[in-house]
């Protein structure tokens, strides 16, 4: 079940320009999750309880059992009279500017809250209180400058893509032990904007920080390794450190020891940066199976850059190594370099243009 849910969550993993999502798709995930969990809310499954004309349906919204859809209605605030048994709320593509303390009061069964593409710049610190069942919180394409305080404790997916967030405090995600997906792409985050330890305390499966302003060595730190060791603190983390914003140069090198705390890393994206060599330490990552290094300035590949030197060292085989669009002279790469790659199509080289 954990794998199934992860696949569902990662469908939206690579954030793209805003496109409305169909929240009804998540209702199926909710039903599966409830059926597979020990939680039993004794929900009323009377599907005739709510409709558009029912007095409990907010004005201008469409209501169906457990779902309130108010997208594309020009709403300037969260509507009132949302039924207390609501599981999903769709408020996409409106003009909401603020989330107030009591906007979601009494909605203890809420599972998914979709506030994508509004104008939200302020969220009250108590807006998410008593929302222990909330698992999906989508706040992408808004005007937030910081991570909201007191996030729902059991949330598994947080999306803040393309806001104005320029700083992440150390305790921003404190207590979110069930968080699986964290999307922070296209925010003006630079090296000094992420405090050390900001990602401590949860076993996140996916963290997206694409299109940020990260470079090689954060100011005020002597090496990249201390910074990345904190970023790569937990197992199974998928990191996306590439930038397409204005074609600016981003990460130029990765120091030895940067991945020392990521022994269970499965997939790593460092494509479209300005790396001149393969990051050190990859051969020691036993569970690493996919690495994207295309679109860099890597000119050579060493025979032990990806695979352990001795056969006694255990390592899962790679299923994909992406090295195309680099100035690598592929005819000079020794065949043994990819001895731990499964399949002839597991390595991509060539297609470099000056």
């Amino acid at each position: 079940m954990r794998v199934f849910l992860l696949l569902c969550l990662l469908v939206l993993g690579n954030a793209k320009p805003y496109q409305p999502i169909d929240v009804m798709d998540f209702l199926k995930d909710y039903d599966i999750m409830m059926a597979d969990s020990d939680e039993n809310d004794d929900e009323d499954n009377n599907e005739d309880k709510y409709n558009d004309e029912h007095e409990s349906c907010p004005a201008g919204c469409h209501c169906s059992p457990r779902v309130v859809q108010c997208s594309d209605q020009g709403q300037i605030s969260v509507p009132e009279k949302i039924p207390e048994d609501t599981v999903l709320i769709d408020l996409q593509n409106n003009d909401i500017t603020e989330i107030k303390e009591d906007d979601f009061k009494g909605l203890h069964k809420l599972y998914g809250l979709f506030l994508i593409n509004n104008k939200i710049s302020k969220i009250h610190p108590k807006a998410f209180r008593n929302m222990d069942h909330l698992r999906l919180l989508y706040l992408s394409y808004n005007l937030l400058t910081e991570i909201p305080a007191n996030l729902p404790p059991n949330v598994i997916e947080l999306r803040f893509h393309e806001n104005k967030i320029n700083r992440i405090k150390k305790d921003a995600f404190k207590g979110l032990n069930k968080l699986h997906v964290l999307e922070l792409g296209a925010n003006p985050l630079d090296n000094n904007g992420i405090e050390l330890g900001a990602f401590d305390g949860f076993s996140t499966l996916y963290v997206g920080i694409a299109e940020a302003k990260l470079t090689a060595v954060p100011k005020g730190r002597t090496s990249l390794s201390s910074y990345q060791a904190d970023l790569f603190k937990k197992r199974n983390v998928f990191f996306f450190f590439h930038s397409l914003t204005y074609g600016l140069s981003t990460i130029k090198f990765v120091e030895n020891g940067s991945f020392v705390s990521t022994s269970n890393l499965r997939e790593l994206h460092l494509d479209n940066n300005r790396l001149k060599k393969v990051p050190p330490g990859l051969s020691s990552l036993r569970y690493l199976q996919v690495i994207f290094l295309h679109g860099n300035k890597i000119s050579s590949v060493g025979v032990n850059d990806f695979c352990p030197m001795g056969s006694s060292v255990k390592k899962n085989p790679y299923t994909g190594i992406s090295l195309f669009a680099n100035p690598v002279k592929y005819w000079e790469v020794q065949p043994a370099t990819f001895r731990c790659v499964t399949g002839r199509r597991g390595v991509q080289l060539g297609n470099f243009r000056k």
Side-chain angles (χ1 to χ4, degrees), residues 38-254:
D38 293 328
E39 299 177 30
N40 184 1
D41 297 329
D42 296 325
E43 296 180 4
D44 184 355
N45 292 320
N46 182 2
E47 299 195 354
D48 296 325
K49 187 173 182 179
Y50 295 109
N51 52 51
D52 294 351
E53 289 75 29
H54 194 278
E55 61 181 2
S56 294
C57 189
C61 299
H62 171 74
C63 294
S64 56
R66 301 180 295 169
V67 180
V68 175
Q69 294 178 283
C70 309
S71 60
D72 302 279
Q73 297 297 315
Q75 302 272 3
I76 60 174
S77 62
V78 176
E80 299 178 352
K81 297 183 178 180
I82 297 176
E84 291 186 358
D85 66 347
T86 299
V87 169
L88 300 176
I89 298 178
D90 180 5
L91 285 164
Q92 298 179 85
N93 202 29
N94 281 292
D95 297 313
I96 299 170
T97 59
E98 179 182 359
I99 302 300
K100 300 181 177 64
E101 179 178 357
D102 295 328
D103 279 347
F104 306 113
K105 185 177 181 180
L107 302 180
H108 304 311
K109 296 182 179 180
L110 195 61
Y111 169 81
L113 179 56
F114 304 89
L115 291 158
I116 306 168
N117 201 38
N118 278 274
K119 300 176 181 178
I120 300 169
S121 60
K122 183 179 179 181
I123 296 179
H124 193 279
K126 296 183 179 180
F128 303 122
R129 71 188 184 282
N130 300 322
M131 298 181 74
D132 293 346
H133 285 261
L134 191 66
R135 299 296 192 271
L136 310 176
L137 180 57
Y138 283 38
L139 282 158
S140 296
Y141 303 98
N142 278 287
L143 302 174
L144 295 171
T145 58
E146 61 182 0
I147 303 297
N150 304 315
L151 291 165
N154 295 312
V155 67
I156 60 175
E157 185 174 356
L158 283 172
R159 294 192 180 271
F160 297 105
H161 183 82
E162 199 163 319
N163 274 267
K164 303 293 182 183
I165 298 171
N166 55 27
R167 189 168 189 81
I168 300 178
K169 297 179 181 179
K170 180 179 180 180
D171 296 329
F173 308 109
K174 185 177 181 179
L176 303 185
N177 300 320
K178 297 181 180 179
L179 188 61
H180 288 174
V181 175
L182 176 61
E183 174 58 61
L184 291 163
N187 280 285
L189 284 166
D190 60 19
N191 299 321
N192 294 322
I194 303 175
E195 293 186 6
L196 291 174
F199 300 116
D200 285 355
F202 57 83
S203 56
T204 305
L205 299 172
Y206 171 97
V207 176
I209 318 180
E211 300 174 72
K213 296 182 178 180
L214 300 173
T215 55
V217 182
K219 294 179 181 179
R221 295 171 175 84
T222 57
S223 71
L224 184 63
S225 59
S226 62
Y227 175 69
Q228 288 192 331
D230 275 281
L231 283 169
F232 299 145
K233 192 78 175 183
K234 293 298 177 179
R235 63 188 179 88
N236 298 342
V237 181
F238 292 60
F239 272 91
F240 293 75
F241 278 148
H242 66 287
S243 175
L244 301 177
T245 306
Y246 308 111
L248 295 175
S249 302
T250 53
I251 297 175
K252 297 180 181 179
F253 64 92
V254 178

